[in-house]
Amino acid sequence: MIVPRSGFALTAGAPRRWSRPTDSGGTLDCWFCPTCGSRLWHETEPNAETLSIKGGSLDEPVDFDQLYHIWTARKLEGLQLPAGCKSHPGEPPD
């Protein structure tokens, strides 16, 4: 889920970070739980206006019908996106 950084707050824990190159030539910081290894969020730079929170890391369920799905060209085989949802096959346009 792409969210404004201003609406994000870490309330507990001490996640760890690893970085990897992106298709566009930048670097993506990937934050994860050091206990279980689950990814929590991604960010392209420390002061970016938005970051990408992993929906499965939230305490409350998310209505996936209303989300904008990105990187759909790389989705798991057999995964069905909701009919009529907003989507993009790769990195979303600005």
Side-chain angles (χ1 to χ4, degrees):
M1 301 181 319
I2 307 297
V3 300
R5 176 175 294 284
S6 62
F8 174 78
L10 182 64
T11 59
R16 293 195 182 147
R17 175 183 56 116
W18 63 276
S19 300
R20 66 171 177 81
T22 64
D23 288 355
S24 62
T27 300
L28 185 69
D29 289 335
C30 307
W31 293 87
F32 66 96
C33 172
T35 303
C36 71
S38 295
R39 286 189 284 174
L40 304 170
W41 76 90
H42 291 167
E43 54 188 275
T44 54
E45 56 187 72
N47 296 316
E49 291 184 22
T50 61
L51 48 88
S52 172
I53 297 176
K54 304 304 160 199
S57 71
L58 300 175
D59 293 333
E60 298 293 325
V62 175
D63 179 1
F64 287 102
D65 290 342
Q66 301 302 314
L67 297 179
Y68 180 54
H69 299 268
I70 59 174
W71 294 104
T72 57
R74 296 182 182 177
K75 70 180 180 60
L76 294 174
E77 187 175 328
L79 179 71
Q80 298 293 316
L81 297 178
C85 71
K86 295 180 185 177
S87 65
H88 197 269
E91 190 166 341
D94 290 335

